[in-house]
Amino acid sequence: NAGVTQTPKFRILKIGQSMTLQCTQDMNHNYMYWYRQDPGMGLKLIYYSVGAGITDKGEVPNGYNVSRSTTEDFPLRLELAAPSQTSVYFCASSYPGTYQPQHFGDGTRLSIL
Amino acid sequence: RKEVEQDPGPFNVPEGATVAFNCTYSNSASQSFFWYRQDCRKEPKLLMSVYSSGNEDGRFTAQLNRASQYISLLIRDSKLSDSATYLCVVNIGSNDMRFGAGTRLTVKP
């Protein structure tokens, strides 16, 4: 059982480039999330989705876009990379419900130079 | 004021010690509460949920005080393998989770 799979694990981008961070889960979870974690900081929610075709903004959505065409996949797109987007990005998924835990992928380390 | 505040530590304790972490949250409508563990450069993993009546899982005990908007985690008989960063997480509604910055624990032999 793979759980939540993120690709790539590491990436270096130049300012102004674009890229898509991939996330897929095989647990049939309705809810999926994208977070970023800056050094010494807590995770901040970028976008989330409660099901295919439905997405919503989190705390820090500026500079990012998402789509959810299937239950399994929730890609995160950076259109014009900026140094402030250097971070570790985590994708997570869960069932709905207030006490349902989130299951995380092992992260994508992104540097923008 | 941050939505979820934790003492960043670090807490350096000997093996076998008891250590307690505290967390405060600002949103009084928060619905559910968790402690996650994060090892260096790894993803967060659920340690335990925190229920209103308090709950225990082996050496770990979690408490919730809704009136004071305060959550705690107690670790008894610390092991070397407990060394990690402990994240306080609050669900403010609709599965919108807010994470504290974490408390770092190092257990020494």
Side-chain angles (χ1 to χ4, degrees), chain A:
Chain A
N1 192 348
V4 180
T5 303
Q6 291 183 237
T7 56
K9 294 199 185 314
F10 305 93
R11 185 73 184 268
I12 298 174
L13 281 183
K14 293 183 180 177
I15 295 171
Q17 285 186 319
S18 61
M19 78 164 292
T20 300
L21 282 65
Q22 301 290 348
C23 176
T24 188
Q25 53 93 9
D26 62 1
M27 295 174 282
N28 204 29
H29 286 163
N30 301 81
Y31 286 25
M32 295 187 75
Y33 314 81
W34 274 106
Y35 294 92
R36 60 177 287 174
Q37 186 176 30
D38 299 327
M41 305 291 285
L43 278 72
K44 292 194 181 296
L45 183 66
I46 304 170
Y47 271 94
Y48 67 100
S49 168
V50 300
I54 306 169
T55 62
D56 213 339
K57 295 178 181 179
E59 284 183 89
V60 290
N62 291 343
Y64 306 95
N65 279 300
V66 293
S67 59
R68 183 100 181 267
S69 57
T70 66
T71 299
E72 294 78 18
D73 299 306
F74 190 40
L76 177 73
R77 179 126 182 112
L78 283 70
E79 290 294 351
L80 287 170
S84 60
Q85 294 176 305
T86 294
S87 192
V88 181
Y89 290 84
F90 289 104
C91 179
S93 69
S94 74
Y95 290 117
T98 48
Y99 271 102
Q100 290 296 327
Q102 295 189 5
H103 300 264
F104 285 82
D106 53 12
T108 294
R109 282 163 179 77
L110 180 63
S111 294
I112 297 160
L113 306 175

Side-chain angles (χ1 to χ4, degrees), chain B residues 2-41:
Chain B
K2 290 181 182 176
E3 290 193 88
V4 181
E5 292 204 68
Q6 297 182 247
D7 180 344
F11 285 67
N12 297 307
V13 303
E15 269 187 294
T18 296
V19 61
F21 306 139
N22 301 321
C23 169
T24 57
Y25 61 94
S26 61
N27 188 329
S28 60
S30 297
Q31 298 179 357
S32 54
F33 310 88
F34 307 86
W35 284 101
Y36 278 70
R37 171 195 169 123
Q38 186 173 27
D39 293 295
C40 188
R41 300 177 70 80

Side-chain angles (χ1 to χ4, degrees), chain B residues 77-92:
Chain B
D77 189 23
S78 300
K79 311 290 184 194
L80 296 176
S81 57
D82 293 335
S83 296
T85 297
Y86 291 83
L87 307 176
C88 175
V89 183
V90 175
N91 178 354
I92 64 170

